[in-house]
Amino acid sequence: MGYLVGVVGKPNVGKSTFFSAATMATVPIAAYPFTTIKPNRGVGYVRVQCVCRELGVDDEPVNSVCEDGVRLIPVELVDCAGLVPDAWRGRGLGNKFLDEIMTADALIHVVDASGGTDVEGRVCEPGTHDPVDDIIFLDRELDMWLLGILKRDWEKVVRRSSLAREELLDAIADRLSGLAIRRGHIEDGFKQSGLDIDDYKSWCEDDLLRLVHTIRSIAKPMLIAANKIDVQESEENLPRLRALGYEVVPCSAEAELVLRRSEEKMMTDYKPGDGRFRILEPGRLTQEQLAALEKIQKVILDVWGSTGVQESINSAFLRLLGMIVVYPVEDLEKLADHKGRVLPDAYLVPSKTTAREFAAMIHSDLARNFLYATEARSRMRVGDDYIVKDRDVLSITSSAGRA
Ligand SMILES: Nc1nc2c(ncn2[C@@H]2O[C@H](COP(=O)(O)OP(=O)(O)OP(=O)(O)O)[C@@H](O)[C@H]2O)c(=O)[nH]1
Ligand SMILES: [Mg+2]
C-alpha cells in the first residue's frame, strides 16, 4: 500500500493510544513502560477534501471513504515498542526495536509533552521531566545505531579499498538497504552533509556521524506529536519543543480514542480531525460520558482545533513524504469506473509520479499499453511523462482500451 509511517518514542508516552485511535485496532494500553513488545501494524487514514463537491457529483467510494465531502484514504501505520537510552547498544528492547523503526518511511515521534514520564517512561510528577530531552535522545539513538551499521565494515572494506564515487555510494546503499533507505536518500545525504566524497578515506568518526545524521533526516523525516496536551503542564513546553526545528503537533491521543469509540458506538457524529462533534442521542449517554465529552470539547477541541492525531498523520504523509491525491476514472462524462461508480478510488501517490507510473499503480497492463491520459476538468490529453498533480481526476487510455 505504499509508504509506512512509524509511531515511535520512549515507553509510556501514548504511542499505542495514538495508534489505536488512528486505526481502531484493539492493542494493549497501560500506564507502565514496555506495554508494547511486538510492533502493531494497522490501517489509519489520511483525510483530504474530496473533489466530489468541486465537481458537483455524488461519489461512490470503493478504496476509501467519503463523508460530507471529506475523503479518508487508507494508509499503513506501525506502533513500535518503546525506546530507552542506549537502545543502540542493545538496552531495553534495543536493536529489535530499532529494526522495526527503520521499516518506516517517516516517523511520528510521540512525546509526553507534560513531562510526566521520566527518561525510561516511568510515571513522574508532570512538569518534572523535560520532553525536549526525549527528542534529543531519540535522534541520537537513531544516529548512533545507523553509525554502528555503517561502521561495521568501514575499516575492513571501505577504507582499505580505492572506491570510485559511485562504488562508495553503492557500498553504503548496500549496507543500509534493509532499512528502507534508498540510494537517492544517500546521494542527497552526501550533498547536504558537505563532506568531500573523494576524500572518504580520511573521514573521522564525527564525519561518519554527520553523514548518517544527514541521511537519516532525509530517509526518515520526522514530526513531533506533543501528546497529553490535555495535561495542564504540557502547554508551557510547546515553545521549547518547537525551537528544535521539527513540526510539533499538540495532541491528545486519549481524547481521540474516546471520540472515535463514541462514534463507533453511534453515540456521536465525529470524523477524525474534526474540531467539533455532535452528540446524537444524549439520553443514551451516562452523566460521566457526557461530562467527559464536554471536557474534550472545551479543553482540547476549542483550544487546539482538533485532537492532533489526524493532523499528525496527514502531515506525515502529505508534508513529510510529500504525497498527493489522484482520482482514476474510466468514464470522463460520468467520472465513473466501468461499473458506473463515481470517483471510486483516491490514490495517495508520491509527488513527481508520472502518468505512466500512475497507470502502473492501477494495473501493469495499463502502463505497458499506455497511450495517453486525460484530465477530467480540462479534457487535455497528456503523455506518459506528465507529472500528476494533487486532485487530478485522470482517465488512462491504453491500446487495449480505456481504463
Ligand atoms: N493524559 C493523557 N494520557 C494519555 C494520553 N495518551 C495516552 N495516555 C496514557 O498514557 C499511558 C501510556 O499509554 P500507551 O499508549 O500504552 O503508551 P505507549 O507509548 O504505547 O507505551 P509502551 O508500549 O509501554 O511503550 C496510558 O495510561 C494512557 O492512558 C493523552 O493524550 N493524555
Ligand atoms: Mg505501546
Side-chain angles (χ1 to χ4, degrees):
M1 210 173 10
Y3 288 133
L4 173 69
V5 165
V7 180
V8 303
K10 75 178 181 186
N12 213 9
V13 292
K15 298 180 297 298
S16 296
T17 310
F18 182 108
F19 173 85
S20 183
T23 62
M24 292 308 277
T26 312
V27 295
I29 294 170
Y32 49 79
F34 297 121
T35 303
T36 307
I37 297 170
K38 282 199 178 145
N40 303 299
R41 275 206 188 204
V43 175
Y45 295 92
V46 157
R47 171 186 171 137
V48 294
Q49 210 58 44
C50 183
V51 293
C52 63
R53 297 236 164 128
E54 179 205 331
L55 298 170
V57 292
D58 275 332
D59 54 5
E60 199 184 326
V62 178
N63 85 336
S64 41
V65 179
C66 187
E67 212 180 303
D68 305 328
V70 170
R71 193 56 89 125
L72 298 172
I73 307 167
V75 288
E76 210 181 354
L77 302 173
V78 55
D79 166 33
C80 298
L83 177 78
V84 292
D86 284 341
W88 66 276
R89 293 186 209 269
R91 268 200 77 220
L93 299 173
N95 299 338
K96 215 168 107 275
F97 160 92
L98 287 154
D99 267 339
E100 274 161 44
I101 286 193
M102 289 297 170
T103 60
D105 299 289
L107 305 174
I108 296 175
H109 180 181
V110 180
V111 302
D112 175 351
S114 75
T117 34
D118 72 10
V119 61
E120 313 248 315
R122 286 176 296 247
V123 173
C124 61
E125 201 58 45
T128 57
H129 177 79
D130 187 353
V132 166
D133 292 346
D134 297 340
I135 298 176
I136 295 169
F137 129 79
L138 188 114
D139 280 356
R140 186 180 148 75
E141 290 299 324
L142 298 182
D143 286 348
M144 291 308 287
W145 192 64
L146 277 179
L147 179 65
I149 291 173
L150 189 63
K151 267 175 49 186
R152 240 174 254 165
D153 32 41
W154 191 263
E155 291 300 330
K156 200 167 72 244
V157 182
V158 182
R159 217 195 285 268
R160 281 194 205 154
S161 40
S162 285
L163 299 176
R165 179 181 284 248
E166 292 301 309
E167 289 171 326
L168 179 67
L169 284 171
D170 285 343
I172 295 176
D174 193 43
R175 256 270 148 256
L176 305 180
S177 64
L179 309 172
I181 296 180
R182 294 191 304 274
R183 203 172 183 283
H185 295 140
I186 295 165
E187 279 170 35
D188 291 348
F190 264 112
K191 276 186 214 132
Q192 289 181 26
S193 70
L195 290 166
D196 182 0
I197 197 168
D198 297 320
D199 196 26
Y200 75 90
K201 286 195 184 196
S202 60
W203 290 349
C204 62
E205 174 134 345
D206 269 357
D207 293 330
L208 283 180
L209 186 59
R210 178 139 54 105
L211 178 64
V212 291
H213 173 78
T214 320
I215 293 173
R216 200 251 312 156
S217 319
I218 296 166
K220 310 286 166 189
M222 186 157 84
L223 64 85
I224 309 297
N227 196 33
K228 309 195 184 178
I229 200 71
D230 51 289
V231 179
Q232 203 196 336
E233 283 77 3
S234 294
E235 189 171 351
E236 65 199 58
N237 284 324
L238 284 181
R240 286 179 324 103
L241 287 170
R242 290 203 161 109
L244 296 174
Y246 288 110
E247 175 183 355
V248 175
V249 183
C251 188
S252 177
E254 200 165 68
E256 179 72 8
L257 190 56
V258 170
L259 291 175
R260 291 290 303 273
R261 286 195 175 148
S262 348
E263 199 271 340
E264 195 182 43
K265 292 188 192 126
M266 311 231 292
M267 297 195 296
T268 52
D269 182 11
Y270 172 76
K271 282 188 293 302
D274 279 351
R276 296 205 64 78
F277 57 86
R278 202 161 51 87
I279 295 174
L280 294 176
E281 289 174 59
R284 280 179 54 211
L285 275 71
T286 63
Q287 282 308 313
E288 289 78 36
Q289 286 171 323
L290 281 171
L293 287 171
E294 218 166 87
K295 189 174 166 208
I296 288 174
Q297 183 69 53
K298 215 168 122 220
V299 177
I300 296 156
L301 303 182
D302 288 350
V303 179
W304 303 102
S306 75
T307 67
V309 171
Q310 188 59 52
E311 194 184 331
S312 302
I313 295 170
N314 264 34
S315 199
F317 284 92
L318 303 178
R319 204 185 57 78
L320 296 183
L321 293 171
M323 300 187 95
I324 56 174
V325 182
V326 182
Y327 301 77
V329 296
E330 293 172 50
D331 181 336
L332 281 166
E333 293 301 323
K334 300 200 177 92
L335 304 180
D337 64 8
H338 62 279
K339 290 188 178 154
R341 298 175 297 199
V342 176
L343 297 173
D345 297 335
Y347 278 58
L348 206 53
V349 305
S351 57
K352 302 203 184 107
T353 296
T354 65
R356 188 190 291 275
E357 285 164 347
F358 179 59
M361 292 173 192
I362 303 168
H363 200 289
S364 55
D365 287 344
L366 208 52
R368 212 173 9 253
N369 304 320
F370 185 100
L371 289 177
Y372 58 88
T374 314
E375 208 284 320
R377 297 179 189 82
S378 63
R379 296 294 170 99
M380 284 248 297
R381 282 187 184 184
V382 291
D384 61 349
D385 58 352
Y386 168 75
I387 305 286
V388 301
K389 294 195 304 294
D390 191 34
R391 296 170 66 81
D392 266 356
V393 178
L394 280 185
S395 165
I396 311 279
T397 306
S398 69
S399 52
R402 177 179 272 185

